[in-house]
Amino acid sequence: MKQMLLIYISFGILFLNTSCSSENDNNTNNKPLVEETRLNVAYGSNPKQKYDLYLPAARSEEKTKVIVLIHGGGWTGGDKIDMDYIIPTLKLNHPNHAIVNMNYVLADLQTPAFPNQFMDVERVIDKITDEKNDLQIQPEFALIGASAGAHISLMYDAVYDAGDQVKMVANIVGPTDFTDPFYANNPNFDYLLSALVDESAYPSGTDYAVAVSPVLQISGTTSPTLLFYGNADPLVPLTNGDRLNIALNNAGIDHNFSVYEGGHGDNWSQADYTDLQNQITTYINTYLAVENPD
């Protein structure tokens, strides 16, 4: 059944295709903290509710902000390991930031995707916030999502980030508007979307295509957003990027919309990938800046 969902929906196939030492002191000796990695940190009871945490050296509550990576996979597949490739680049470009690479509970017939996957982001952010003293971080966040992970990132920022802790979002080929004819004209769409939605979590009569479309949730509180799309994407139409671009313009949100030659991120040029990385670096340095890094 999960395979049928992926085949018919054809939304978000991810293109970006041990335990570790722990120092839990609060730097009481005023010694600079060393770089630390904590793998498979549990943030819930489900085996998928785990994240990897990369803490930089010399971190502190005054300066160390957090970059969160959210993988794709059509909401029913994928794993945080799919985002591992970007971590060395982020460490190089942002050596004073912490990095979280998170899993979330994948959808199946017993566990719908929405809003559960949005709430998993909230659980991660809440846990890290609660542990800010131990971790020596400042709980402000950038979300970088790919495909389904970009959709989750956009929805969390637009609807669930009540404390305004998210300061920017990088949306890489994320579905944004399920009222788009690309989806809505599929005769199986309503059934397939309902299979991804926990109907008990929404009021009776909710139009789910509207409720889980980030483009229809944009407001003046939406975070600065980067948009990256392919002009020949068979899974997420360019019109989804166009519609989000218009909504962000109308709301007066700082953003940048990039369209690359190719499909779902899997055959873009090296120059395009470099441009994507450079834009993310610029936005992190602008909206998640480290104050007094030395």
Side-chain angles (χ1 to χ4, degrees), residues 112-120 123 160 196-198 201-202 212:
F114 316 135
N116 297 315
Q117 293 173 356
F118 314 142
M119 302 309 295
D120 273 355
R123 292 182 183 98
Y160 299 92
L196 289 173
V197 173
D198 181 356
Y202 295 91
V212 300

Side-chain angles (χ1 to χ4, degrees), residues 14-16 68-72 83 142-154 169-174 226 228 280:
L14 175 68
F15 72 91
L16 305 165
V68 180
L69 307 178
I70 307 179
H71 70 82
M83 300 295 277
L143 304 182
I144 301 176
S147 196
H151 167 259
I152 294 167
S153 299
L154 291 165
V169 177
N171 155 32
I172 306 170
V173 296
L226 291 168
F228 304 101
I280 291 175

Side-chain angles (χ1 to χ4, degrees), residues 10-195:
S10 297
F11 287 161
I13 297 175
L14 175 68
F15 72 91
L16 305 165
N17 286 351
T18 140
S19 65
C20 297
S21 63
S22 176
E23 288 188 2
N24 292 328
D25 65 22
N26 287 324
N27 203 22
T28 56
N29 295 322
N30 294 319
K31 295 179 181 178
L33 294 171
V34 299
E35 183 177 357
E36 183 181 345
T37 298
R38 304 181 186 183
L39 300 182
N40 293 313
V41 178
Y43 66 90
S45 60
N46 189 289
K48 292 297 285 186
Q49 289 176 317
K50 291 184 169 65
Y51 59 77
D52 298 337
L53 175 62
Y54 302 86
L55 295 167
R59 59 192 176 274
S60 75
E61 290 182 71
E62 290 73 36
K63 68 179 183 181
T64 306
K65 302 176 185 180
V66 187
I67 301 165
V68 180
L69 307 178
I70 307 179
H71 70 82
W75 304 282
T76 64
D79 187 88
K80 59 185 168 64
I81 195 173
D82 299 325
M83 300 295 277
D84 278 353
Y85 85 100
I86 197 174
I87 293 171
T89 300
L90 289 173
K91 284 185 173 182
L92 179 65
N93 292 337
H94 307 287
N96 296 300
H97 285 77
I99 301 169
V100 172
N101 188 12
M102 65 171 285
N103 270 340
Y104 47 88
V105 179
L106 301 175
D108 57 27
L109 294 180
Q110 287 71 47
T111 308
F114 316 135
N116 297 315
Q117 293 173 356
F118 314 142
M119 302 309 295
D120 273 355
V121 179
E122 182 171 85
R123 292 182 183 98
V124 170
I125 287 178
D126 285 350
K127 178 176 173 61
I128 291 171
T129 300
D130 289 344
E131 297 175 357
K132 64 180 182 179
N133 293 332
D134 168 65
L135 298 176
Q136 287 294 289
I137 59 95
Q138 184 178 152
E140 296 182 3
F141 300 85
L143 304 182
I144 301 176
S147 196
H151 167 259
I152 294 167
S153 299
L154 291 165
M155 279 296 299
Y156 181 79
D157 175 61
V159 178
Y160 299 92
D161 182 29
D164 191 30
Q165 290 178 274
V166 175
K167 302 304 179 182
M168 60 152 287
V169 177
N171 155 32
I172 306 170
V173 296
T176 68
D177 188 356
F178 299 138
T179 70
D180 190 316
F182 179 90
Y183 301 122
N185 289 345
N186 181 336
N188 299 302
F189 175 77
D190 287 341
Y191 165 73
L192 296 167
L193 181 61
S194 68

Side-chain angles (χ1 to χ4, degrees), residues 249-261:
N249 273 328
N250 290 342
I253 303 301
D254 191 15
H255 67 286
N256 196 51
F257 180 29
S258 299
V259 180
Y260 301 136
E261 293 286 336

Side-chain angles (χ1 to χ4, degrees), residues 212-287:
V212 300
S213 290
V215 73
L216 302 177
Q217 316 302 325
I218 298 302
S219 70
T221 63
T222 297
S223 298
T225 303
L226 291 168
L227 295 71
F228 304 101
Y229 287 88
N231 63 3
D233 191 333
L235 301 175
V236 178
L238 185 55
T239 50
N240 264 216
D242 291 332
R243 291 178 179 211
L244 182 57
N245 181 48
I246 292 169
L248 292 168
N249 273 328
N250 290 342
I253 303 301
D254 191 15
H255 67 286
N256 196 51
F257 180 29
S258 299
V259 180
Y260 301 136
E261 293 286 336
H264 199 61
D266 49 357
N267 58 352
W268 297 349
S269 71
Q270 185 56 53
D272 291 337
Y273 290 127
T274 299
D275 178 66
L276 180 151
Q277 292 171 358
N278 289 341
Q279 288 193 51
I280 291 175
T281 293
T282 298
Y283 258 52
I284 290 173
N285 288 339
T286 302
Y287 294 107

